[in-house]
Amino acid sequence: MSKKDNRTGRRIFAEDPSWNVPLVPCLSKLCLQTIMKNFEKTPIFNALKASDKDEVQERLSTSLPLTVTANLIPDGVYWKRCCEGRWDICDVSHYGHSWKRMFFERHIENMIEHFIPEETRRDTVLEMVPLCKNFVKRLEISQLLPPIRESQDEGKGYGFNLESRNVYNASMNHFNFNILLSGLKNLEELHLVSGVKQHGMLEMFALTDRDCKCLAKALKSCRSLKLFRLYVSHIDDNKCQILVKQLLHHPSLIELDFSHNLIRDNGAIAVAELLTKSKLQTLTMYDNKIGDHGAKAIANSLSKNSTLLSLNLRLNHVGDEGGQAMGKALMKNNTLLHLNLGGNVVTEFTAIALAKMIAQNKTLRSINLSCNNLGVDGGKTLEAAMSSNTTLAECDVRLTNVEDQSASFINKAVWTNERTERRNKAKKEICKNDLEVERQLEWDKSRSMYEPVKVPI
């Protein structure tokens, strides 16, 4: 009935000449194939052994509903396949080397950026919250779409070409973050730009007051938030005050960035109050319209603050009143490390006030005064102050009309301070390592005293 072919080692049965014993899959493989084929209806994963779990991650379909896979398939090859199948560029190092975190953060970002109020169902976002809440730590939203309305004059543009009958209604409200942030219990960073990317007309799609109220309420409910960045969004004084009011006693917020907006003195005064009631470590209000009154309010709070490490007021309208107030505040403050007043309208009077502070303050590590009109006298005053300062490692006086000799002396002084600081850090590290070695030797010595002595037989 059968015979053995010595050349191939294969047993041939007359009823099926192609049958080959080594090609028959084992039962465990057949079961695993069946599990993956019916995974959506019967998601079996945790009961599998480690090697089978690895095979499932490598072969399971990436088109399965997230309701099935989100809280079942752990971080690993499966989520890497999901990411690489959806996006061309996937830098997992930007997401703490977690493929699962990358997938859910980018998935949520995409949902928000394409969410159209009154058109997109709220449930599409609400359904995602329990699936992604454990994995989302940072959201970077680059646009917010307003509602749409029917165009009365089809085919006529409003300053840009329209491809459909619907146009954006800039007077209505945007995505309501209340439906999302309160459920993301691990969210630590929120970066937000309002506007529509393809049109490039941010002022037409700026956040409304109601948007800011909803966003402020959502921020207050997000107790884990550490960094909030709202930039290039036409935020004015009123909207700034609405947002800051809800952040006054936030338990976790340590970094606030309102760069590239329209904030003036009243908004800065609100932020100054925040400095007295929060734990902020970094405040960035780069490129706004803050003048002396706002800067004086921030300086007054800074004189009482003990947490802020970095303050950036570059490219504002701060004059000598605000600059001098900063100098006086830093005579009392002993925590601020970095101050940026570049690109304002301060003069030699501010330089004189800051020079007095530089001669006394032993905490500040960097100060940027570039692109101001400090003049020759301002430069000489700073030069004299730097001759007695041993801690400032950066003092930027480029494009300030100071003499080259003064600028050269200042640069040499800060370079010397920086080199000294590096040496001190290196010495501390060496001492720390030596102490660890000494402790280890002492521990080994004490342990050997109690070890039994081995006597040769």
Side-chain angles (χ1 to χ4, degrees), residues 7 23 38 41-42 47 68 92 101 107 120 134-135 150 158 204 216 219 252 298 322 324 355 371 376 402 429 456:
R7 293 173 300 174
L23 296 181
N38 299 281
K41 295 180 179 178
T42 311
V68 175
V92 72
R101 176 185 164 188
H107 181 68
T120 308
N134 294 325
F135 317 113
E150 289 289 326
Y158 292 85
M204 290 188 62
L219 293 172
S252 304
I298 292 175
Q324 289 174 313
C371 303
V376 175
V402 305
E429 192 65 29

Side-chain angles (χ1 to χ4, degrees), residues 33-262:
Q33 291 174 9
T34 303
I35 288 173
M36 287 187 284
K37 184 178 180 180
N38 299 281
F39 201 83
E40 183 174 352
K41 295 180 179 178
T42 311
I44 299 174
F45 185 81
N46 291 328
L48 301 175
K49 61 182 182 181
S51 59
D52 291 339
K53 288 179 179 179
D54 292 340
E55 186 169 351
V56 168
Q57 289 228 31
E58 292 176 357
R59 298 178 57 188
L60 191 64
S61 172
T62 57
S63 62
L64 287 170
L66 292 175
T67 52
V68 175
T69 59
N71 293 311
L72 184 60
I73 306 298
D75 193 15
V77 175
Y78 176 79
W79 297 107
K80 178 181 180 180
R81 292 169 52 224
C82 289
C83 291
E84 292 179 341
R86 184 168 176 180
W87 300 291
D88 294 331
I89 300 175
C90 295
D91 184 1
V92 72
S93 65
H94 191 54
Y95 300 86
H97 297 279
S98 170
W99 290 102
K100 193 169 187 178
R101 176 185 164 188
M102 175 195 282
F103 178 85
F104 281 103
E105 285 185 5
R106 296 182 71 169
H107 181 68
I108 288 290
E109 289 166 359
N110 184 73
M111 290 182 67
I112 297 174
E113 289 175 356
H114 294 88
F115 186 96
I116 303 176
E118 302 177 9
E119 294 289 328
T120 308
R121 291 175 51 250
R122 284 164 47 100
D123 290 346
T124 59
V125 177
L126 291 173
E127 291 168 357
M128 279 301 304
V129 173
L131 303 181
C132 69
K133 64 181 181 180
N134 294 325
F135 317 113
V136 175
K137 293 186 177 181
R138 178 180 61 242
L139 290 176
E140 298 181 1
I141 312 300
S142 59
Q143 76 168 12
L144 289 178
L145 299 179
I148 56 177
R149 60 179 171 81
E150 289 289 326
S151 173
Q152 299 298 321
D153 301 315
E154 185 173 353
K156 293 183 180 180
Y158 292 85
F160 48 83
N161 294 325
L162 299 175
E163 297 180 356
S164 67
R165 295 186 305 144
N166 294 326
V167 297
Y168 293 113
N169 185 353
S171 64
M172 298 181 70
N173 303 295
H174 299 73
F175 175 77
N176 184 353
F177 280 90
N178 259 325
I179 67 176
L180 176 66
L181 295 192
S182 61
L184 299 180
K185 62 181 183 179
N186 292 324
L187 184 68
E188 296 181 355
E189 297 183 22
L190 177 61
H191 305 248
L192 179 60
V193 176
S194 70
V196 182
K197 287 187 290 188
Q198 60 264 36
H199 294 310
M201 297 183 178
L202 294 176
E203 66 277 7
M204 290 188 62
F205 309 106
L207 296 177
T208 65
D209 287 351
R210 184 180 174 186
D211 286 331
C212 287
K213 290 178 181 178
C214 292
L215 178 58
K217 186 177 179 181
L219 293 172
K220 185 177 181 179
S221 68
C222 188
R223 312 294 285 176
S224 59
L225 190 68
K226 295 181 179 179
L227 185 157
F228 176 50
R229 188 181 185 204
L230 179 59
Y231 59 111
V232 199
S233 297
H234 281 255
I235 298 301
D236 57 18
D237 282 351
N238 185 50
K239 294 169 185 175
C240 179
Q241 290 170 334
I242 292 172
L243 292 166
V244 168
K245 184 179 179 180
Q246 300 297 331
L247 296 174
L248 288 177
H249 300 285
H250 197 285
S252 304
L253 190 68
I254 60 174
E255 184 169 348
L256 181 64
D257 187 345
F258 280 151
S259 299
H260 306 291
N261 284 297
L262 304 174

Side-chain angles (χ1 to χ4, degrees), residues 2 42 69 178-179 250 271 318 344 356 372 456:
S2 64
T42 311
T69 59
N178 259 325
I179 67 176
H250 197 285
V271 172
V318 180
N344 282 277
K356 293 179 181 178
N372 284 291

Side-chain angles (χ1 to χ4, degrees), residues 381-394:
T381 307
L382 290 171
E383 177 185 347
M386 286 303 302
S387 64
S388 60
N389 182 285
T390 59
T391 56
L392 203 61
E394 179 186 346

